[in-house]
Amino acid sequence: MSLSTKDLLGIKSMTADEIKLILDTALTFKDVSERDIKKVPALRGKTVINLFYEASTRTRTSFELAGKRLSADVINISTSTSSVVKGETLLDTARNIEAMKCDMIIVRHSCSGAPEYLSKRLKSSVINAGDGFHEHPTQALLDMFTIREKLGKLEGLTVAIVGDIMHSRVARSNIYGLIAMGAKVRVCGPPTMIPPGLECMGAQVYYDMDKAVEGADVVMMLRLQLERQAAGLFPGVREYARLFGLNQQRLSGAAKHALVMHPGPMNRGVEISSEVADNTPVILEQVTNGVAVRMAVMFLLSGGTKAEA
Amino acid sequence: MHHESCIMNLDMLIKNGHIIDPANKVDEKLDILVSEGKISRLGKPGSIPANGAHVIDAAGKLVVPGLIDMHVHLREPGFEYKETISTGTAAAKAGGFTSVCCMPNTNPINDNRSVTEFILSQARFAAARVYPIGAITKGSKGEELAEMAELHSAGCRAISDDGKPVANAAIMRRALEYSKIFDMLVISHCEDSALAAKGVMNEGIVSTELGLRGIPRAAEDVMTSRDISLAELSGGRLHIAHVSTAGAVRMIRDAKSRGVKVTAETCPHYFSLTEEAVRGYNTMAKMNPPLRTSDDVVALKEGLKDGTIDVIVTDHAPHAADEKAGEFDYAPFGIVGIETSLGLTLKLVDEGVLSIAEAIRKLTAQPAAILKIDKGTLSAGSDADITIIDLSEEWVVDSSCFKSKSKNTPFNGWKLKGRAVQTIVGGKS
């Protein structure tokens, strides 16, 4: 089995089988990163471009390593060094890159829909590395990979996603993916950061974090953008931490085996206490798994099958 | 040229057409004689001898007053790459419109006599009549009133800061009060800027799924409510532009029942599409106010039916292809509409929302009455602005054939029924 699509734009359109295929394939790639020689020839001769219109360290490095460990040639382009500052359009930039014959373009953009827009107009595979508040599919895949690895399954689990849901592409991708895989999703945050329609996506909405966390198998914390305070979305960091911060006491309401996750970068003392952050190994394992999951996505999109991995 | 001018100077006899002239409550088969650019007389079919007049056989067709679109953007001066007065009025004529009102958000803004005069001078050669709308405030900045007497004497019959709300309620109050000197219509773009913030589409389930910033319906409702209160306070004539929400329809209906001097318009896209059209990050479905929900569409149709909404306009907003390409967030708001307006309005007739006479009234007599211009009827002695419509013609919207310089429409490929087959302006076709 391989992926039927040219691109990975979001989790919303993916079936449970496709998600499972990626997670299973990632498992076989995970040990590549554990070896002395961290390289397989799967994408030898392929050219991969990281086209990042938004600052990123973790995700860009993760994609870069994933490509290199698959033996692809990986080039990084970020806005500060590109023709974007000269006023070139997104499509012109992408077409110029494609004219140099690349096979895959990994796009991060502050505008929702930018990767989809490019995917319709380029021959290359497009991978969404995060677009606006829309989706961040590889983050959700690595989160699901990590949960499955730690808890053995996704089906039947209860996952609480806490924080600024409205401005979170990580939340949206995880809601779609976890529900497709049979998990129950609770979302929790101040009503000012809960967008309309989440119930229609199958999530349950909570304003009381203790209730959201109660009995949860996974507590997934989201980063609070501190500039949201100026927009009136919360009165201050102190009150936010009191209502929606994860500390040891609050975590004790979750299931005994509960995983604490965070897509990073963390605001210690705001959405997560240092005590909790330092007592969970999972947050760094998410980062480790990110490379394996991105290797699997790149491999499958370039026509590889799970059997070849 | 010589040949053409000969034809134009001929009298014209439009025979056998079905006349609908809502202002005069005419709905029957009549012949119309046009002479020297005016409607000379109407009579039973066959009762008016041709006497050498150019004969147009309108058998099987509707003959109505020239359509009026009281809300368009002609982009000249300043944005001639999007549209000019010449191309915009050619588009109007192709769509059956003989008169258009152009909004003042040009560059420079039409907030003074010289811009109004420039527009009118360009319009002398235009395919349709142009009624400039002046700005409410200088530079449409919402701070100080524009010189309304100057704008009025230069030819503006209405003022608006369209595209922007007048954020300061006191300034809006003063505009409505001051407008009473000239009986000038004040057209309000109802939007609370703080609530709309950086929104790019309607706030709801679709904006959540697409991860786009939403504009809540309350952003329109709050301002509609404010301006109705100010109209009541001031006694000025308020016209609410591009109504898109059920809440605004409800408030306008209530205000009218209390006798407040308020009128309202909506656009074909607001009763033909919903926010679902944005899916796929379709920039052709990006406009302000944004496309709303099916509940709003139902309410707009009720408002059109019961007369709460007086007028159908297009908010014809041409933008270049490059501007509408690319990221959804960066694309400008607005779509062209003047070449699809009649076809989309006639769908309301097919659906039973409006009778044909009511539909035509909202495109002719009503805007003329609100603007207080001597248009929108087929009375003997009035200017011969006449639109001949073939109700049975089925056609497919092909934006590449638009006369407008811009092709930004969400209706490309739509099958419509009914179309203007001839548009006569001042006796010239």
Side-chain angles (χ1 to χ4, degrees):
Chain A
M1 190 180 168
S2 64
L3 285 178
S4 55
T5 53
K6 173 174 83 79
D7 316 293
L8 177 68
L9 302 174
I11 304 289
K12 182 169 186 255
S13 57
M14 294 182 84
T15 64
D17 282 346
E18 287 171 319
I19 293 169
K20 192 165 176 296
L21 171 69
I22 294 171
L23 302 188
D24 291 348
T25 308
L27 199 56
T28 68
F29 279 121
K30 187 172 178 184
D31 84 333
V32 172
S33 298
E34 308 289 343
R35 297 177 199 161
D36 255 5
I37 297 171
K38 301 177 179 60
K39 219 174 184 73
V40 291
L43 260 61
R44 193 168 56 193
K46 302 276 186 190
T47 303
V48 175
I49 310 281
N50 266 329
L51 180 58
F52 275 53
Y53 283 81
E54 219 182 45
S56 161
T57 309
R58 192 185 334 260
T59 305
R60 190 188 52 71
T61 308
S62 182
F63 270 110
E64 185 176 356
L65 282 174
K68 286 181 168 165
R69 287 179 186 169
L70 291 167
S71 303
D73 296 305
V74 184
I75 308 290
N76 292 312
I77 300 172
S78 58
T79 46
S80 56
T81 57
S82 75
S83 49
V84 175
V85 289
K86 297 174 197 157
E88 189 173 58
T89 68
L90 175 62
L91 185 58
D92 283 342
T93 302
R95 280 189 172 145
N96 275 279
I97 292 165
E98 197 167 64
M100 294 179 232
K101 305 298 172 195
C102 69
D103 302 285
M104 197 171 280
I105 300 184
I106 295 156
V107 184
R108 168 166 288 196
H109 203 294
S110 59
C111 294
S112 299
E116 180 175 332
Y117 172 78
L118 286 181
S119 74
K120 289 175 183 164
R121 289 160 181 85
L122 297 177
K123 289 191 197 78
S124 314
S125 285
V126 174
I127 297 177
N128 180 1
D131 63 328
F133 314 137
H134 176 226
E135 285 226 38
H136 191 351
T138 57
Q139 178 70 43
L141 289 165
L142 75 88
D143 289 339
M144 289 188 280
F145 182 91
T146 307
I147 297 169
R148 203 177 68 161
E149 187 179 53
K150 292 283 164 193
L151 301 179
K153 60 173 184 177
L154 290 163
E155 197 176 350
L157 296 182
T158 297
V159 180
I161 306 176
V162 184
D164 181 359
I165 311 292
M166 184 186 296
H167 300 100
S168 176
R169 52 197 176 208
V170 175
R172 284 172 178 75
S173 289
N174 266 305
I175 291 169
Y176 293 131
L178 289 165
I179 287 172
M181 298 304 283
K184 287 193 201 75
V185 178
R186 299 171 180 172
V187 295
C188 176
T192 48
M193 295 181 180
I194 302 284
L198 290 176
E199 293 87 351
C200 302
M201 295 183 186
Q204 288 173 283
V205 176
Y206 291 77
Y207 303 139
D208 179 338
M209 187 172 172
D210 291 317
K211 287 195 177 128
V213 167
E214 193 181 327
D217 300 291
V218 178
V219 181
M220 195 180 281
M221 301 306 300
L222 300 174
R223 178 178 169 79
L224 179 74
Q225 301 286 348
L226 300 178
E227 65 265 26
R228 307 284 178 221
Q229 184 177 337
L233 300 191
F234 66 98
V237 165
R238 182 167 157 267
E239 180 157 311
Y240 184 89
R242 189 162 72 79
L243 294 177
F244 301 103
L246 185 63
N247 52 38
Q248 206 59 53
Q249 190 213 337
R250 196 160 256 156
L251 183 59
S252 66
K256 273 209 166 58
H257 57 265
L259 305 183
V260 175
M261 304 176 82
H262 194 297
M266 290 185 281
N267 291 307
R268 288 169 177 263
V270 183
E271 71 265 8
I272 189 164
S273 71
S274 280
E275 187 190 13
V276 172
D278 293 332
N279 274 326
T280 171
V282 183
I283 293 172
L284 286 176
E285 285 175 51
Q286 286 174 266
V287 180
T288 306
N289 291 336
V291 179
V293 163
R294 290 177 176 119
M295 286 171 79
V297 168
M298 293 162 88
F299 175 74
L300 290 167
L301 284 180
S302 53
T305 63
K306 193 189 149 228
E308 298 163 347
Chain B
M1 194 62 213
H2 178 70
H3 176 72
E4 198 181 321
S5 61
C6 280
I7 287 179
M8 290 193 300
N9 287 336
L10 277 179
D11 288 353
M12 186 185 276
L13 180 63
I14 304 167
K15 289 180 63 120
N16 304 317
H18 181 150
I19 312 289
I20 293 185
D21 181 6
N24 291 317
K25 296 192 170 63
V26 174
D27 188 347
E28 61 181 307
K29 283 208 170 84
L30 292 172
D31 291 354
I32 302 181
L33 182 66
V34 170
S35 184
E36 291 175 351
K38 303 273 184 192
I39 291 172
S40 141
R41 56 188 273 229
L42 295 92
K44 294 286 175 201
S47 70
I48 304 173
N51 282 344
H54 174 60
V55 175
I56 295 170
D57 184 9
K61 302 197 171 66
L62 278 190
V63 178
V64 305
L67 307 182
I68 300 167
D69 187 343
M70 65 180 286
H71 190 146
V72 304
H73 298 269
L74 294 179
R75 304 299 190 206
E76 186 179 353
F79 304 101
E80 292 83 355
Y81 68 96
K82 297 175 195 254
E83 191 82 285
T84 64
I85 289 167
S86 169
T87 57
T89 54
K93 191 171 181 191
F97 289 84
T98 58
S99 295
V100 297
C101 297
C102 57
M103 284 295 175
N105 58 341
T106 47
N107 184 18
I109 303 256
N110 182 18
D111 63 357
N112 65 77
R113 170 187 284 275
S114 53
V115 179
T116 306
E117 285 174 351
F118 170 80
I119 292 167
L120 288 172
S121 98
Q122 292 296 89
R124 278 182 297 146
F125 311 104
R129 298 179 199 275
V130 176
Y131 293 89
I133 294 172
I136 296 174
T137 60
K138 293 191 182 88
S140 289
K141 288 180 181 161
E143 292 162 1
E144 287 176 30
L145 296 185
E147 290 181 328
M148 215 182 288
E150 289 286 296
L151 289 168
H152 183 258
S153 64
C156 293
R157 288 291 164 273
I159 51 170
S160 179
D161 278 353
D162 185 57
K164 290 179 183 175
V166 177
N168 183 328
I171 295 290
M172 190 62 169
R173 171 196 178 172
R174 299 310 179 197
L176 281 159
E177 286 174 344
Y178 197 78
S179 70
K180 293 195 290 183
I181 305 173
F182 320 99
D183 198 18
M184 187 92 115
L185 183 70
V186 180
I187 303 176
S188 175
H189 169 113
C190 290
E191 176 186 4
D192 183 295
S193 303
L195 273 176
K198 292 177 187 161
V200 293
M201 69 170 295
N202 185 52
E203 181 178 304
I205 173 75
V206 181
S207 67
T208 296
E209 284 186 18
L210 294 178
L212 293 172
R213 290 179 193 271
I215 301 172
R217 291 181 281 183
E220 181 169 335
D221 297 350
V222 162
M223 210 54 142
T224 304
S225 170
R226 183 200 80 172
D227 283 353
I228 286 170
S229 295
L230 295 177
E232 211 165 1
L233 171 68
S234 63
R237 289 202 298 132
L238 173 69
H239 180 74
I240 311 278
H242 42 51
V243 173
S244 76
T245 66
V249 173
R250 204 164 50 235
M251 285 184 264
I252 295 162
R253 182 181 290 126
D254 173 68
K256 284 186 165 188
S257 75
R258 287 185 290 111
V260 181
K261 280 191 262 176
V262 58
T263 53
E265 60 180 43
T266 190
C267 312
H269 41 277
Y270 297 123
F271 59 71
S272 305
L273 294 170
T274 67
E275 58 185 352
E276 293 289 330
V278 178
R279 287 191 190 278
Y281 301 94
N282 178 14
T283 58
M284 296 303 176
K286 181 177 177 182
M287 65 282 289
N288 189 20
L291 297 173
R292 306 287 187 181
T293 68
S294 51
D295 288 347
D296 297 289
V297 170
V298 168
L300 287 170
K301 287 179 178 176
E302 282 169 5
L304 283 161
K305 194 181 175 79
D306 71 13
T308 301
I309 298 176
D310 306 88
V311 180
I312 294 170
V313 301
T314 63
D315 197 1
H316 181 79
H319 291 295
D322 284 345
E323 296 174 312
K324 277 290 202 182
E327 298 91 325
F328 191 89
D329 282 341
Y330 299 160
F333 292 102
I335 58 167
V336 294
I338 207 158
E339 292 174 75
T340 49
S341 177
L342 177 60
L344 291 164
T345 301
L346 290 172
K347 279 172 81 81
L348 295 179
V349 177
D350 268 357
E351 290 171 24
V353 175
L354 296 177
S355 69
I356 183 73
E358 287 161 347
I360 296 301
R361 180 194 295 274
K362 289 184 197 296
L363 292 166
T364 57
Q366 296 275 50
I370 291 166
L371 291 160
K372 303 206 171 181
I373 57 173
D374 190 18
K375 286 281 172 289
T377 80
L378 295 174
S379 308
S382 61
D383 284 337
D385 292 359
I386 303 166
T387 300
I388 303 177
I389 299 167
D390 184 346
L391 281 180
S392 61
E393 185 181 331
E394 292 182 21
W395 59 290
V396 176
V397 178
D398 177 357
S399 60
S400 69
C401 298
F402 281 175
K403 301 284 185 197
S404 172
K405 203 175 243 191
S406 294
K407 319 295 175 191
N408 49 314
T409 174
F411 299 111
N412 203 30
W414 277 43
K415 285 188 186 128
L416 297 177
K417 195 173 163 197
R419 185 176 205 173
V421 291
Q422 199 160 358
T423 308
I424 297 160
V425 181
K428 297 172 191 173
S429 66

